Amino acid sequence: MVNEIIFTMGKSLGAALAAVLAGFSAVAVFNGMPPKWLTDYGDEPTPDIMDRSRPRVRKRPWAYILSIALCLVFIKIIMIDYRFFACGALMMWTLAVMALADAKYKIIPDQMIIACAVCGIGFIPFVDSWKDQLGGLLIGGGVMFVIALISKFASREAAIGGGDIKLFAAIGICLGVRGVVAVLMMTVIFMAAHAVFRLGAKKIKLGDSMAMVPYIFVSTGLYLSFIWEMQLMLEI
């Protein structure tokens, strides 16, 4: 019993240390990212992106905020399986970097989307089959593409960018059909609730765009930490 408690505490400590490393490295990677990665196709980097005299985001508070958020996720998922922890932690790290880029510049670097999709290799033992991952790709990317088309025709402005479409396709590869649907639903709920709050506080106006990846980051963390295990229990 005592040995089991010590072992669990050791795993938790290791996960917490990994979360701190992930949080601080996410900020460092974003601050050192090539300007071209943060620029739309065919455009030249803006002076703000090119400026290396100061960091794009400050280590304090963002590295600390990300470290705390990742710590909550990492400690939970390391208890599920070491392999699950490895791919889940790497996926959350890529989302943390993308959340910073989207919040700061409304850009989701393709390189980080590819890194997120590669995490799907690690999830292979934990999804139903490769068909589930293919279905997740098609549903994640397809639903977002349809929403983007509808918003384009309705308002003549793209409410959802190509990066969001590609990112949900990558999430589908990692989490499968049920996972990408759950993350999408939570993202919409959290984003809508926050938008209503900000409208009420007069911090934004109707029609203002909002970065989506920060909400995807939170939703994916909740899915990996709680909903994934609940689904496994229901299957049993």
Side-chain angles (χ1 to χ4, degrees):
M1 182 65 177
V2 175
N3 289 339
E4 186 177 341
I5 293 174
I6 294 174
F7 183 62
T8 300
M9 291 177 61
K11 286 200 299 184
S12 298
L13 179 59
L17 291 174
V20 172
L21 177 62
F24 277 78
S25 64
V27 171
V29 167
F30 172 65
N31 283 333
M33 195 172 283
K36 276 290 187 182
W37 289 21
L38 298 168
T39 308
D40 276 329
Y41 300 120
D43 293 343
E44 291 298 319
T46 62
D48 182 33
I49 296 176
M50 291 291 293
D51 184 12
R52 295 299 184 94
S53 64
R54 54 190 174 85
R56 292 171 179 140
V57 295
R58 294 181 179 178
K59 182 172 63 176
R60 187 177 299 174
W62 295 110
Y64 296 90
I65 291 173
L66 288 175
S67 295
I68 292 171
L70 291 170
C71 186
L72 296 174
V73 178
F74 284 14
I75 290 176
K76 186 68 173 66
I77 64 176
I78 201 171
M79 302 302 171
I80 298 175
D81 184 274
Y82 284 114
R83 294 171 301 169
F84 186 78
F85 170 77
C87 55
L90 183 56
M91 181 185 183
M92 288 300 299
W93 180 82
T94 65
L95 288 173
V97 177
M98 286 185 275
L100 292 172
D102 197 22
K104 180 73 175 180
Y105 299 120
K106 299 295 191 298
I107 289 288
I108 308 176
D110 285 343
Q111 294 80 0
M112 299 310 300
I113 295 175
I114 293 170
C116 181
V118 170
C119 294
I121 298 172
F123 281 99
I124 290 174
F126 305 101
V127 295
D128 292 339
S129 68
W130 66 269
K131 295 179 181 178
D132 187 27
Q133 290 182 299
L134 178 59
L137 182 154
L138 295 175
I139 290 176
V143 169
M144 294 300 289
F145 180 72
V146 170
I147 294 174
L149 281 180
I150 293 173
S151 66
K152 180 72 173 178
F153 283 117
S155 62
R156 295 186 179 181
E157 292 184 6
I160 295 174
D164 296 312
I165 297 171
K166 289 181 284 189
L167 177 54
F168 266 101
I171 292 172
I173 294 173
C174 294
L175 306 183
V177 174
R178 289 178 300 181
V180 74
V181 170
V183 170
L184 177 57
M185 291 176 63
M186 286 190 289
T187 298
V188 170
I189 292 170
F190 294 150
M191 198 170 180
H194 194 205
V196 170
F197 173 79
R198 294 181 71 187
L199 282 169
K202 296 183 179 180
K203 293 185 176 181
I204 60 172
K205 303 186 297 293
L206 282 174
D208 286 352
S209 62
M210 293 174 61
M212 184 179 287
V213 183
Y215 305 96
I216 297 173
F217 172 77
V218 173
S219 300
T220 304
L222 288 173
Y223 180 79
L224 292 174
S225 302
F226 299 102
I227 301 177
W228 185 290
E229 207 167 23
M230 288 172 56
Q231 288 179 341
L232 292 177
M233 291 172 63
L234 290 174
E235 287 179 0
I236 293 173

